[in-house]
Amino acid sequence: MSTVGRQTYRHGDLRETLLSAGLEMAREGGPDAVVLREATRRAGVSPNAAYRHFADRRALLLAVSATAQGLAANSMEAAIAAIPTSGDPKVDAREGLRAVGLGYLAFARTEPGLFRTAFSVPDDLSNAESPAKAGSGGRTPFQLLAGVLDRLVEAGAMPRERRAGAELLAWSSVHGLGMLMIDGPLRGLTEDMIEDASARLVDMVARGL
Amino acid sequence: MSTVGRQTYRHGDLRETLLSAGLEMAREGGPDAVVLREATRRAGVSPNAAYRHFADRRALLLAVSATAQGLAANSMEAAIAAIPTSGDPKVDAREGLRAVGLGYLAFARTEPGLFRTAFSVPDDLSNAESPAKAGSGGRTPFQLLAGVLDRLVEAGAMPRERRAGAELLAWSSVHGLGMLMIDGPLRGLTEDMIEDASARLVDMVARGL
DNA sequence: TGTCATTGTGGACAGTGTACACATGTGGGA
DNA sequence: TCCCACATGTGTACACTGTCCACAATGACA
């Protein structure tokens, strides 16, 4: 491929360009749709140029995944921001938990490709607070969840002895519904059923935590 | 490819052979590792022979997925069978629910590749009771779950008005933990942490349903 | 026995990830 | 200011994938 559509030999910001090309492909078709050669094609660059910025396809995918997690965080933050304060700290804390869960699920529903790319690429809890995964508010999905759980304890709406590891429980439930809705056996549910299931699920978590 | 290692031109049971080859690949590397050509290679047959039995790679993958769901059902049934009866129907029903969840999670942990192949391939609830997905007891994972939920209601351990759609809630929670453990951000958890999280999760579900 | 649908083969093609050698710019020290 | 090392992009090549097409072997049944 020659340097068509570009005057300079250097691209200028290839890494970023590849990343957003990858993000776009992920949006349309999930992690499997993130293909390296296509990204370089969209960037107007030869296939191998990508290897100057990403060790391999996997590395690109991880970067895309992190970015997608940031977008998920945005959705969660938006849901948090939308809840009116009631004055009662307990109620507010519970609403915060609900909002985090519903924001996560809303992201799954509106951006299924990105959701799958964000959370079904092999990763590790040790990276859960990496700034690359933060939304515009500066916090990652994991940090947002941890935050509302902390508030829940402080407000006395959740026994302190159950706090440790509660992220995993809450996250699991919501994540599972998201996955089953998207490419698991729960596809084909109507919008209403999804809405209903989402609400009931976060209630169940709030009750059971 | 010639008919090496095989005297007859006809293979005899190619469909089944491809299926178990696919299952083996899925076991080792999840859905992405199920590659059509490799399956035919293992069956000692030319690549195109597969197309006499499966429309395309996707069809093979779906068949493998169904088989894997049957294996998951086996794991769940084993967990159910292992619980001692207490005499108290309420207690028994709750233990049944726990067993179903823990059996599902045990399968996820011991057969991560098969688990992902079973439950993260696009499917539909309308196929949830397909005999192809049944375990040796003749019931699919979905049917097993529905069964324990029914018992829960009959035993009076769960309000009847919450029964509808409860499968989705219970399934979501347990499925989410499984996925996050395997290739999501919850990898790297120690055996103990997983054990603990699993137990707490099913308790949460039992409490919150 | 002859016919014909079923099952398998062979060759081909486009597309993928990635390795290796090479080309082209650019910034920092002489 | 020159020049060169280093970063970045190109070209070629290879092995591998899914899948299409035309053809060959086989076995069941008329």
Side-chain angles (χ1 to χ4, degrees):
Chain A
M1 174 169 294
S2 55
T3 64
V4 279
R6 173 167 40 105
Q7 303 312 329
T8 58
Y9 182 81
R10 297 287 214 263
H11 176 283
D13 197 7
L14 185 51
R15 196 197 136 90
E16 201 56 34
T17 305
L18 291 174
L19 195 64
S20 50
L23 199 69
E24 205 44 50
M25 293 185 278
R27 164 174 282 130
E28 291 162 14
D32 291 353
V34 175
V35 16
L36 213 154
R37 284 181 101 109
E38 172 67 17
T40 62
R41 223 172 285 133
R42 296 190 187 186
V45 118
S46 85
N48 286 323
Y51 289 90
R52 301 297 172 192
H53 301 274
F54 298 97
D56 51 12
R57 187 194 105 99
R58 204 184 116 74
L60 170 61
L61 190 57
L62 275 176
V64 172
S65 167
T67 309
Q69 288 190 39
L71 298 180
N74 287 348
S75 173
M76 297 163 74
E77 281 182 348
I80 295 179
I83 59 180
T85 48
S86 73
D88 180 345
K90 273 194 189 182
V91 172
D92 286 358
R94 282 211 196 86
E95 284 304 310
L97 177 63
R98 283 178 49 88
V100 161
L102 292 176
Y104 191 89
L105 285 170
F107 182 70
R109 213 174 357 148
T110 56
E111 292 286 11
L114 292 183
F115 179 77
R116 285 165 51 207
T117 308
F119 299 111
S120 49
V121 160
D123 198 356
D124 201 287
L125 245 195
S126 59
N127 304 121
E129 314 201 341
S130 150
K133 301 178 177 174
S136 34
R139 308 212 292 165
T140 68
F142 183 82
Q143 290 174 313
L144 290 170
L145 173 57
V148 296
L149 290 174
D150 286 342
R151 266 181 56 198
L152 223 43
V153 170
E154 284 161 22
M158 173 180 168
R160 190 172 296 272
E161 66 272 18
R162 289 224 191 105
R163 174 63 186 82
E167 288 94 344
L168 307 196
L169 307 188
W171 194 354
S172 292
S173 303
V174 174
H175 181 73
L177 182 56
M179 291 302 288
L180 291 177
M181 275 177 356
I182 291 178
D183 56 15
L186 261 53
R187 299 187 323 156
L189 261 56
T190 67
E191 197 74 13
D192 284 356
M193 294 172 73
I194 290 178
E195 203 83 44
D196 182 57
S198 301
R200 285 178 66 191
L201 186 77
V202 294
D203 285 342
M204 179 191 85
V205 171
R207 211 167 27 235
L209 263 186
Chain B
M1 173 168 295
S2 57
T3 65
V4 279
R6 173 167 38 107
Q7 303 312 330
T8 57
Y9 184 81
R10 299 285 214 261
H11 177 282
D13 197 8
L14 186 51
R15 197 197 135 90
E16 201 56 35
T17 305
L18 291 174
L19 195 64
S20 49
L23 199 69
E24 204 46 48
M25 294 185 277
R27 166 173 281 129
E28 291 161 13
D32 290 353
V34 176
V35 16
L36 213 155
R37 283 181 102 107
E38 172 66 18
T40 61
R41 223 172 285 132
R42 295 191 187 185
V45 120
S46 85
N48 285 325
Y51 289 91
R52 301 296 172 192
H53 302 273
F54 299 98
D56 52 11
R57 187 193 105 96
R58 205 183 115 73
L60 170 60
L61 190 57
L62 275 176
V64 171
S65 167
T67 309
Q69 288 190 40
L71 298 180
N74 287 348
S75 173
M76 296 163 74
E77 281 182 348
I80 295 179
I83 59 179
T85 48
S86 74
D88 179 346
K90 274 194 188 180
V91 172
D92 286 357
R94 283 210 195 87
E95 285 303 310
L97 178 63
R98 285 178 46 89
V100 161
L102 292 177
Y104 192 88
L105 285 170
F107 183 70
R109 211 174 357 147
T110 57
E111 293 285 10
L114 292 183
F115 179 77
R116 286 165 52 206
T117 308
F119 300 110
S120 49
V121 160
D123 198 357
D124 200 287
L125 246 195
S126 59
N127 305 121
E129 315 200 341
S130 152
K133 300 178 177 172
S136 33
R139 308 212 292 166
T140 69
F142 184 82
Q143 291 174 312
L144 290 171
L145 173 57
V148 298
L149 290 174
D150 285 343
R151 267 181 54 199
L152 223 43
V153 170
E154 286 162 21
M158 174 179 168
R160 178 163 261 115
E161 65 271 19
R162 289 223 191 108
R163 173 65 185 83
E167 288 92 344
L168 307 196
L169 307 188
W171 194 355
S172 292
S173 302
V174 173
H175 181 73
L177 183 55
M179 291 303 287
L180 291 178
M181 275 178 355
I182 290 177
D183 56 14
L186 262 51
R187 299 188 321 154
L189 260 57
T190 67
E191 197 73 14
D192 284 357
M193 294 171 73
I194 291 177
E195 201 84 43
D196 182 57
S198 300
R200 285 178 65 189
L201 186 78
V202 294
D203 285 343
M204 180 191 85
V205 171
R207 208 165 33 233
L209 263 185

